[in-house]
Amino acid sequence: MITGAPLPGWSELAALFGSSADGAALAAHWAEPTEKTLWFSRSAWALAAITTAWRRKHGRLPRLWVPDYFCNASLDPVRQAGVPLTFYPIGLDLAPDWEECRRLALSAAPDLFIVVHYFGSATDVRTAREFCRLEGALLIEDCAHVLEPAAGIGRGGDFVLWSPHKLLPVPQGGLLVCRDLDEDASPATGPAPGLGGWLLKRVVQKLGPGWLLPPATRSGPQTFGDDPVEGSLAETPSLASKALKILAKAADALPRVAARRRDTARALLEVLARQDGWHPLFDPAAVTPYRLVMRCASPDIAAERFTRYRRRGIPVESWPDLAPEVRTLPARHRTALHLRATLLCFPVHQTLEAGVLTRRCGGPER
Ligand SMILES: Cc1ncc(COP(=O)(O)O)c(C=O)c1O
């Protein structure tokens, strides 16, 4: 079965019954020993914790700048806290449009500025640092799509967000790294979200005969224009201790996970690149890809291929659910809307069989 997310191995599930995991030791995969680290259920909550800490220190809500190409559901916690958002435009290279950022800052400079490494590929953080220094803002480096620190990734922000739950077979897990110890946040408190639904689904996916299970393409958006269902963020900020145990086991395999993702993306690209009308957004051999992202020559091609590959049982996706502030101002956010309409994301996670995936993608219509 071709799943959209990786399936846990038996050893990862067995970790549920083992002794508790040490969050600080686990965070060492993503942070330096001198940095403060805090675990959350998801990094969307870590982002909210940064804004809360900033408000406590400065006595007012921070102006948070977010790239206009960003998933709206992840902003639920900061919206709930009333944080004013500015959606700054990015270019076709997915880097901030610095000229436009400088122009926007003339009316109200950011207090907190998010820069994103999209789909596992590095964005230039040095220019972001310089912009933040000039504007007096703190830099939040968003590594939610990245497996682990790499060249130019994860060592440049005042805060760094990681979402291991997106790349590893775990139900929850967002890590906040506070690199400047004068600027930190408070740990999550309160009950953690449950694991039951995730566990049940994964065990059924592992054990159920393929023909009995509904294909992964049955859930999620059925046409390219529909937004992905990230779900409204009903979860709570704390990370369940059981999720931490699974995560600790899963993190043992980071080098193997990185190699599998790269190999699968490379093999898939070889098949997809036989067609005209699209090319990869980045070289999957050069990064650890979250998804293999194909840039289509037109929205029509993207919509047609979305339907074609979904019919073949490949849970191909659009990204992201753009914020209403972005969707309703198409002239200002032309590039973000264009990216949303032309990028197609293919799963390349570590528990996919590259051979099955490539045969399905390269084979005849079903
Ligand atoms: C770029 C980016 N940053 C942050 C987040 C939030 O991540 P999490 O699911 O850990 O809350 C997402 C979620 O999709 C994302 O795509």
Side-chain angles (χ1 to χ4, degrees):
M1 181 182 187
I2 297 181
T3 56
L7 297 181
W10 291 118
S11 62
E12 281 144 357
L13 292 177
L16 275 172
F17 305 101
S19 51
S20 59
D22 177 348
L26 179 58
H29 286 288
W30 293 275
E32 301 284 4
T34 52
E35 295 165 348
K36 177 173 173 178
T37 54
L38 297 167
W39 284 102
F40 292 83
S41 57
R42 291 180 53 171
S43 65
W45 289 110
L47 178 61
I50 297 171
T51 63
T52 305
W54 197 98
R55 180 185 191 171
R56 219 176 18 242
K57 185 167 175 180
H58 298 270
R60 66 171 172 85
L61 287 165
R63 286 185 297 267
L64 175 63
W65 281 33
V66 183
D68 55 359
Y69 189 59
F70 198 83
C71 40
N72 187 46
S74 302
L75 295 170
D76 274 3
V78 288
R79 286 189 195 277
Q80 282 166 24
V83 174
L85 303 174
T86 296
F87 291 89
Y88 71 80
I90 64 165
L92 282 175
D93 58 355
L94 277 69
D97 177 340
W98 292 120
E99 208 179 307
E100 192 54 23
C101 285
R102 281 181 210 108
R103 204 187 58 73
L104 276 174
L106 292 176
S107 41
D111 299 308
L112 297 170
F113 184 94
I114 302 180
V115 67
V116 177
H117 300 289
Y118 292 100
F119 308 114
S121 183
T123 296
D124 171 17
V125 171
R126 264 183 305 179
T127 313
R129 271 224 78 87
E130 183 56 12
F131 175 78
C132 287
R133 191 183 66 74
L134 292 173
E135 300 299 341
L138 294 173
L139 179 62
I140 302 173
E141 193 180 352
D142 182 332
C143 303
H145 294 178
V146 187
L147 182 67
E148 57 187 337
I153 300 183
R155 299 284 187 251
D158 296 295
F159 299 99
V160 187
L161 302 175
W162 297 95
S163 293
H165 75 95
K166 289 192 182 304
L167 292 105
L168 297 172
V170 290
Q172 313 159 10
L175 180 67
L176 170 60
V177 180
C178 307
R179 297 187 63 250
D180 178 347
L181 293 184
D182 289 341
E183 305 289 346
D184 70 3
S186 305
T189 53
L195 266 62
W198 179 88
L199 260 178
L200 183 66
K201 183 171 176 190
R202 295 295 180 260
V203 169
V204 168
Q205 283 175 325
K206 274 179 83 65
L207 292 179
W211 54 266
L212 188 64
L213 299 171
T217 46
R218 182 86 50 86
S219 60
Q222 297 300 306
T223 66
F224 183 66
D226 296 342
D227 277 333
V229 192
E230 286 280 350
S232 56
L233 211 71
E235 297 167 0
T236 49
S238 300
L239 176 62
S241 58
K242 286 191 170 114
L244 195 70
K245 290 191 209 176
I246 307 178
L247 186 51
K249 185 67 196 163
D252 285 346
L254 288 184
R256 195 169 48 79
V257 168
R260 276 293 292 254
R261 282 180 171 266
R262 273 196 290 266
D263 289 350
T264 301
R266 244 189 329 234
L268 179 58
L269 179 57
E270 236 181 85
V271 171
L272 299 182
R274 290 179 199 148
Q275 289 175 82
D276 292 336
W278 60 8
H279 60 271
L281 185 64
F282 51 81
D283 173 8
V287 304
T288 299
Y290 172 47
R291 300 279 191 267
L292 173 63
V293 185
M294 300 300 287
R295 197 196 282 271
C296 300
S298 73
D300 286 349
I301 292 178
E304 183 274 318
R305 290 187 189 176
F306 176 93
T307 304
R308 187 197 310 174
Y309 287 98
R310 285 219 146 216
R311 277 207 195 113
R312 294 178 182 204
I314 312 290
V316 59
E317 294 166 329
S318 61
W319 194 85
D321 53 328
L322 291 171
E325 292 92 329
V326 172
R327 279 187 280 115
T328 51
L329 286 176
R332 185 179 301 174
H333 301 291
R334 194 178 308 120
T335 305
L337 289 161
H338 179 75
L339 291 168
R340 165 63 181 83
T342 50
L343 297 188
L344 261 192
C345 307
F346 284 79
V348 289
H349 62 75
Q350 59 275 21
T351 58
L352 288 172
E353 290 294 334
V356 174
L357 187 66
T358 52
R359 269 196 302 282
R360 197 73 81 78
C361 284
E365 290 301 324
R366 284 143 52 100

